[in-house]
Amino acid sequence: RNAEDADLILRPGRFDIVVSESSPKTVRFAAEEIVENLGLVLGRRPDIVSGLRPGRPSIVLGSNEWSRAVGIDTRVLKRDEFVLKRVGDVVYIAGRDDCRADLAKAISSARWFNEKALENEHATLFGVYDFLERFAGVRFYFPGEMGTVTPRLGSLSVGALDERHAPVFTVRNLHFCADGAVPENTGSFPYAESAQSWKMLHALRLRRQTAALHCVHGQRGFKYKE
């Protein structure tokens, strides 16, 4: 069997997460998400590095010189579509990403659920979550540690991989009701004064829509009379 046919085995401490120095902040946020969750699964967080190291298995995130060299062109992708591709001992995860967005800041500074802060393109992050679910068994059922499944594994196995994935639905939304029902939050409905960063993060992990189509309750919001 040649190298492309054999499974790539990613072992703790023996592979890197590669992020170009020119990558937008959405890709850097995606890198933090994958190292945090793989750290829980494998017992050790992978290193985030700025370039491929010879002979070192790697997961390369975002559009950059290395992804373009293997034929990944994110310009032809749809909104929220991403590519998963493996070439030898390197896995590429890339989609369209808004260079103006700062997801980490939006989450850390959230005083309420700010939908607008998440309405930007961050498809590489969607690819990261898909990779975590498929190859590491991670599940994001509910916010917080109790609702997040991170099975303890000795390694990850990645076979032949060359795929494009786009969402079936443009509208992918969720609604948080009764804030006080969540142990990590205090305050009154609908906008508690305590920080609600966990809501923002969970919405991202569930791949909430990045472009809003407004359709709420009834006709009055459209202000036809006015």
Side-chain angles (χ1 to χ4, degrees):
R1 302 175 69 188
N2 60 44
E4 298 301 325
D5 292 332
D7 287 354
L8 171 64
I9 306 300
L10 300 175
R11 295 183 173 85
R14 299 184 183 180
F15 69 97
D16 296 328
I17 305 299
V18 180
V19 178
S20 169
E21 292 181 353
S22 61
S23 291
K25 291 179 180 178
T26 54
V27 176
R28 297 186 178 280
F29 180 83
E32 291 297 331
E33 281 287 87
I34 197 170
V35 299
E36 177 183 342
N37 284 281
L38 287 184
L40 294 172
V41 170
L42 297 174
R44 178 172 175 175
R45 291 166 60 100
D47 293 331
I48 299 177
V49 300
S50 58
L52 289 169
R53 294 195 280 185
R56 181 88 166 175
S58 301
I59 300 175
V60 176
L61 301 182
S63 177
N64 48 51
E65 58 184 290
W66 306 291
S67 63
R68 290 190 290 271
V70 297
I72 299 175
D73 184 359
T74 58
R75 296 173 300 178
V76 305
L77 300 179
K78 301 175 183 177
R79 189 180 187 95
D80 299 343
E81 185 177 19
F82 57 86
V83 172
L84 295 177
K85 185 171 183 175
R86 179 191 149 211
V87 179
D89 60 357
V90 180
V91 175
Y92 299 88
I93 305 175
R96 283 167 33 183
D97 295 291
D98 189 340
C99 63
R100 299 165 297 179
D102 190 340
L103 297 175
K105 181 178 179 181
I107 291 172
S108 64
S109 61
R111 300 292 295 177
W112 58 86
F113 186 68
N114 183 1
E115 296 182 348
K116 290 295 183 184
L118 303 183
E119 290 173 1
N120 50 68
E121 293 193 84
H122 42 263
T124 296
L125 179 62
F126 291 157
V128 160
Y129 292 141
D130 188 76
F131 179 89
L132 287 171
E133 290 181 345
R134 292 173 58 189
F135 296 100
V138 176
R139 295 291 184 271
F140 303 108
Y141 290 121
F142 301 101
E145 182 179 353
M146 181 179 293
T148 305
V149 176
T150 50
R152 191 64 182 266
L153 303 175
S155 64
L156 305 183
S157 178
V158 182
L161 189 62
D162 189 0
E163 304 172 356
R164 285 172 56 172
H165 295 279
V168 175
F169 297 106
T170 301
V171 176
R172 307 180 305 278
N173 209 348
L174 67 159
H175 178 66
F176 293 97
C177 189
D179 291 350
V182 180
E184 300 166 29
N185 192 44
T186 59
S188 59
F189 176 82
Y191 299 118
E193 290 299 319
S194 59
Q196 299 188 25
S197 59
W198 58 270
K199 289 185 177 182
M200 303 282 281
L201 178 58
H202 192 59
L204 284 172
R205 288 177 169 179
L206 293 185
R207 274 75 100 194
R208 184 189 181 275
Q209 64 196 21
T210 66
L213 294 177
H214 298 286
C215 47
V216 179
H217 297 303
Q219 299 298 312
R220 68 179 183 176
F222 292 106
K223 298 185 177 180
Y224 287 131
K225 180 180 177 180
E226 291 81 359

